[in-house]
Amino acid sequence: MAEKESIQFLPVYLVNGEDHLKRNVALGRLKARLEKMGDLSFNSDRFEGPSADGTAITAACQTMPFASEKRLVVVNDADKLPKAAQKEVAEYAKAPCETTVLVLVADKLAKNTALYKAVAAVGKQSVIDCTPPQKRDLPNQVRAMAPSHGITITPKAAQLLVELAGEDTVHLDEELKKLALACAGKDSVNDADVRAHVARINEAKPWQFVDAFSARDVRECMRLLALMPSASPHALLRQCVTRVRELMCARSMSGEANPQRALAVELGLQDWRVKNHIGWSRRFSDRELQDALRSSLECERKMKGGSDPEAAFLDWVLLVAGR
């Protein structure tokens, strides 16, 4: 009884964000704690946001628990609740039933909505933030997730796993489980292990290719092209030409006191979008960038005139990015 009394719950929670693994963990922990207080099979209800009725949700919340101290009511896709239902649930959150734990699960419930504000007012820990990490932080998160499966993974292998498996944390966790089984007994999972046991489901992104093009890294350009089977060479050409123009502008800004900031203002972009432009621009001469623009017109003419678009684009990339 002392253990039950020590477990404290807020009457309403919002599990908000697109990191599905973090959401699953948060919901799992809540359920595990509630199960210590009674059988949830008799004391739980689940609703799906798009088709849920606000009155039905609040009625479930106001139902008394059976042979337990608490009931659990889960609303999935709460950000997709009809407006009337959102309003009813927001009103309920202002005076919730203390014997029910209502958990709203959402991808992106905006902070300016009445429902978000009502839940946030319930308590300091009523909103559980499950915003996914930025892609640059995912390899570190993968390395942090690995020990829960009894393995460690090298930085290079973690980076490769993200590249192959994508950014969904639930899928990354599943791949780590498979690697743990395949590499049992190894000191650390390396990139060769990842290549051997993880199938690619994630295409490279066009911006990755354009960055490699800007860095004049031909080998990386070729590698990324092979990982972009559905990419349009016409679209890639347009993006590369835009980058060439940005690099021309970057070269003209190199004498400024703060060239990155000056470039961002000139291009109307955020500072982080141009953080590498000055360095990349120094890898080209003015003449090379001018020639890149001229030759792009010939490349486009070939692509539209019956030549193989992929071959024409590849020839142009080798001409411009090759040293």
Side-chain angles (χ1 to χ4, degrees):
M1 180 63 70
E3 182 183 13
K4 288 185 179 181
E5 290 176 353
S6 68
I7 300 176
Q8 299 296 320
F9 294 96
L10 293 173
V12 186
Y13 291 94
L14 169 62
V15 183
N16 194 36
E18 294 178 291
D19 187 334
H20 291 187
L21 179 63
K22 194 173 182 180
R23 278 175 24 183
N24 292 346
V25 169
L27 191 55
R29 286 175 178 170
L30 278 171
K31 285 182 177 179
R33 292 170 62 209
L34 282 165
E35 284 171 344
K36 294 178 181 179
M37 309 184 78
D39 189 350
L40 285 183
S41 60
F42 296 104
N43 293 288
S44 63
D45 287 287
R46 182 180 296 272
F47 297 88
E48 302 302 324
S51 59
D53 176 74
T55 302
I57 294 172
T58 56
C61 291
Q62 290 163 348
T63 301
M64 294 299 293
F66 174 75
S68 177
E69 296 178 35
K70 298 284 186 182
R71 278 178 52 79
L72 172 65
V73 176
V74 177
V75 180
N76 292 317
D77 292 327
D79 47 338
K80 297 182 176 68
L81 279 167
K83 288 185 179 180
Q86 281 203 28
K87 184 177 180 181
E88 285 189 70
V89 176
E91 286 299 314
Y92 167 82
K94 295 176 183 178
C97 180
E98 293 298 326
T99 58
T100 294
V101 176
L102 170 62
V103 183
L104 306 173
V105 182
D107 279 344
K108 292 181 180 179
L109 184 63
K111 292 183 178 181
N112 62 354
T113 60
L115 182 54
Y116 186 102
K117 292 176 181 178
V119 178
V122 171
K124 290 183 178 179
Q125 297 179 328
S126 59
V127 177
I128 302 173
D129 183 15
C130 295
T131 302
Q134 295 188 16
K135 185 172 182 180
R136 65 172 179 268
D137 299 324
L138 270 174
N140 286 334
Q141 179 161 336
V142 165
R143 298 193 72 204
M145 290 158 57
S148 67
H149 301 292
I151 57 173
T152 60
I153 185 168
T154 67
K156 189 174 181 181
Q159 179 70 48
L160 180 60
L161 179 57
V162 173
E163 182 179 309
L164 294 175
E167 300 173 32
D168 184 277
T169 49
V170 172
H171 185 66
L172 288 169
D173 192 59
E174 290 296 326
E175 293 298 333
L176 284 172
K177 288 179 185 177
K178 290 193 289 185
L179 285 168
L181 291 173
C183 303
K186 292 197 66 172
D187 290 337
S188 188
V189 174
N190 58 37
D191 53 313
D193 297 320
V194 173
R195 286 193 180 90
H197 300 291
V198 178
R200 171 175 289 279
I201 64 165
N202 187 50
E203 281 197 25
K205 303 295 190 296
W207 64 263
Q208 293 175 298
F209 176 84
V210 176
D211 283 356
F213 169 83
S214 304
R216 304 190 81 165
D217 188 339
V218 173
R219 179 177 294 180
E220 182 67 1
C221 285
M222 298 302 100
R223 188 184 73 83
L224 290 170
L225 273 179
L227 303 178
M228 302 168 66
S230 63
S232 162
H234 299 275
L236 287 175
L237 177 64
R238 289 194 296 272
Q239 292 175 62
C240 288
V241 169
T242 297
R243 179 59 58 81
V244 168
R245 293 194 176 101
E246 292 173 355
L247 296 182
M248 293 176 75
C249 188
R251 283 187 63 82
S252 70
M253 297 282 178
S254 59
E256 299 284 338
N258 187 344
Q260 179 179 324
R261 181 58 189 154
L263 179 62
V265 171
E266 180 67 23
L267 297 177
L269 300 173
Q270 294 174 307
D271 285 15
W272 67 268
R273 293 280 299 275
V274 298
K275 65 179 181 179
N276 294 314
H277 279 48
I278 301 298
W280 285 331
S281 71
R282 294 186 180 125
R283 302 186 181 205
F284 296 86
S285 66
D286 290 335
R287 177 65 179 273
E288 285 176 320
L289 291 172
Q290 292 165 8
D291 288 345
L293 282 184
R294 294 190 187 98
S295 59
S296 71
L297 297 175
E298 177 63 17
C299 176
E300 186 174 19
R301 185 189 66 77
K302 289 180 180 179
M303 293 167 73
K304 293 180 178 179
S307 298
D308 181 348
E310 292 181 358
F313 175 67
L314 179 57
D315 287 344
W316 180 78
V317 168
L318 294 174
L319 175 68
V320 175
R323 293 182 180 277

